[in-house]
């Protein structure tokens, strides 16, 4: 689905991503881990078109998408969420979802005058789709609540719901568990697994919660200092000397240290 080859992103003289090479298989849930400052979010931003790379390439299903802007990638089915949810706080949860699909008839002045029936038909279909998504995510009771007033975990679910309003092929989730209580995190995990198994979504997940990563992700990729250190199962990653050194600053391995990674 995604092939990243020798990707570099510099800020002045600092290499935030430094020659990263990796691949994401279709229909997988891939975990991306690493210590703070490893370059994980910068890598997401480059792949998703938020930042242009200094060098290197990104391909999606064999097509070179390097440097394409987010709106072009959106139409190709590549979406990302953010560590801090970006909701329209004064709109309801349902309305937040209905806003997602592009090229709606109501966006043009001409149609507001002469295409009212088409607009009404589209809005009914979008409302039905949004309600289906909210039910899938088990937050249908929040349909009419203002998005700015729901909890942090519910906002993360709403962000996941946005990806369901369009034909998403691959979704990059940036610290979906940050600030989320364990019950809601389990609900988010359930939704990700269902979307992967039932609808064929491919996911890449940045997360520091190793229990969450272990439950969802195979394979797991570890980054440090802008580079890809290792890729494999979570157990293989935990046993990797380079990974342990990156997290703990030591090459010594014992059971306690490995478990802490």
């Amino acid at each position: 689905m995604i092939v990243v080859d020798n990707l570099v992103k510099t800020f002045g003289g600092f290499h935030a991503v430094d020659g990263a090479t990796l691949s994401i298989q279709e229909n997988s849930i891939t975990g991306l881990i690493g210590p703070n400052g490893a370059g994980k979010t910068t890598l997401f931003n480059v792949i998703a078109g938020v930042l242009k790379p200094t060098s290197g390439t990104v391909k999606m299903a064999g097509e070179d998408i390097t440097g394409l802007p987010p709106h072009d990638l959106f139409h190709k089915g590549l979406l990302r969420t953010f560590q801090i949810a970006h909701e329209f706080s004064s709109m309801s949860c349902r309305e937040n979802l209905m806003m997602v699909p592009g090229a709606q008839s109501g966006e043009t002045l001409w149609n507001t005058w002469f295409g009212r029936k088409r607009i009404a038909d589209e809005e009914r279909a979008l409302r039905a789709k949004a309600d289906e998504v909210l039910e899938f995510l088990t937050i249908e009771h929040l349909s009419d609540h203002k998005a700015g007033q729901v909890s942090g975990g519910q906002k993360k679910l709403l962000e996941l719901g946005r990806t369901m309003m369009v034909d998403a092929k691959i979704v990059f989730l940036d610290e979906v568990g940050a600030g989320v209580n364990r019950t809601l995190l389990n609900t988010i995990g359930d939704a990700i697994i269902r979307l992967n198994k039932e609808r064929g979504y491919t996911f890449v997940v940045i997360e520091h919660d190793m229990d969450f990563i272990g439950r969802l992700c195979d394979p797991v990729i570890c980054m440090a200092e802008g580079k890809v250190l290792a890729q494999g199962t979570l157990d293989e990653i935990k046993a990797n000397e380079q990974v342990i050194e990156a997290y703990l600053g030591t090459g010594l391995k014992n059971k306690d240290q490995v478990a802490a990674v």
Side-chain angles (χ1 to χ4, degrees), residues 29 70 89 97 104 114 122 130 136 139 153 166 170 172 185 200 208 213 222 231 239 241 248 254 257:
I29 306 177
S89 59
L97 297 182
Q104 296 185 36
F114 302 106
E122 282 187 9
F136 181 96
I139 53 172
V166 293
I170 182 165
F172 290 81
L185 187 58
H208 291 288
I213 288 287
C222 181
Q231 178 170 335
E241 176 76 19
L248 303 174
N254 60 51
Q257 289 175 322

Side-chain angles (χ1 to χ4, degrees), residues 18-246:
D18 191 8
T21 295
L22 57 93
S23 61
I24 307 298
Q25 297 301 313
E26 187 173 4
N27 298 131
S28 68
I29 306 177
T30 298
L32 183 61
I33 67 170
N36 290 330
K40 304 182 298 294
T41 295
T42 303
L43 178 67
F44 265 28
N45 285 336
V46 173
I47 294 173
V50 179
L51 298 171
K52 291 189 179 297
T54 304
S55 62
T57 60
V58 180
K59 292 184 178 180
M60 178 178 174
E63 177 186 358
D64 191 342
I65 60 169
T66 311
L68 288 183
H71 62 269
D72 285 344
L73 296 174
F74 173 88
H75 291 298
K76 293 180 182 295
L78 189 156
L79 289 78
R80 69 153 298 174
T81 66
F82 294 86
Q83 182 177 350
I84 300 174
H86 289 64
E87 78 281 354
F88 296 103
S89 59
S90 63
M91 299 174 69
S92 72
C93 291
R94 181 190 290 113
E95 289 168 339
N96 265 260
L97 297 182
M98 292 175 66
M99 287 283 291
V100 174
Q104 296 185 36
S105 296
E107 295 174 1
T108 65
L109 183 60
W110 176 269
N111 284 331
T112 62
W113 289 344
F114 302 106
R116 292 183 180 179
K117 182 179 183 304
R118 180 166 55 184
I119 292 172
D121 289 344
E122 282 187 9
E123 287 188 351
R124 276 193 293 272
L126 284 171
R127 183 185 178 93
K129 175 69 173 176
D131 286 343
E132 176 193 339
V133 169
L134 290 165
E135 183 178 0
F136 181 96
L137 297 173
T138 69
I139 53 172
E140 65 271 23
H141 59 289
L142 300 175
S143 298
D144 297 313
H145 286 60
K146 288 186 178 180
Q149 296 176 349
V150 302
S151 73
Q154 291 164 340
K155 289 178 182 178
K156 294 292 181 72
L157 279 168
L158 194 60
E159 286 232 316
L160 187 59
R162 288 198 189 108
T163 72
M164 299 173 62
M165 292 297 294
V166 293
D167 186 22
K169 294 181 174 63
I170 182 165
V171 180
F172 290 81
L173 303 173
D174 193 350
E175 294 201 33
V176 69
V180 178
N181 67 53
R182 179 57 58 181
T183 299
L184 270 175
L185 187 58
N186 287 335
T187 300
I188 293 169
D190 291 343
I192 292 169
I193 291 169
R194 285 187 61 195
L195 286 169
N196 173 254
K197 294 186 179 301
E198 298 175 15
R199 306 196 182 189
Y201 278 38
T202 301
F203 286 100
V204 188
V205 184
I206 291 177
E207 186 52 60
H208 291 288
D209 188 317
M210 290 299 106
D211 290 337
F212 187 77
I213 288 287
R215 178 190 171 202
L216 268 67
C217 301
D218 185 12
V220 177
I221 298 169
C222 181
M223 288 185 68
E225 298 181 344
K227 301 181 185 334
V228 174
L229 290 186
Q231 178 170 335
T233 67
L234 184 58
D235 286 341
E236 289 169 345
I237 294 295
K238 285 182 175 181
N240 186 288
E241 176 76 19
Q242 288 181 296
V243 173
I244 295 168
E245 187 170 355

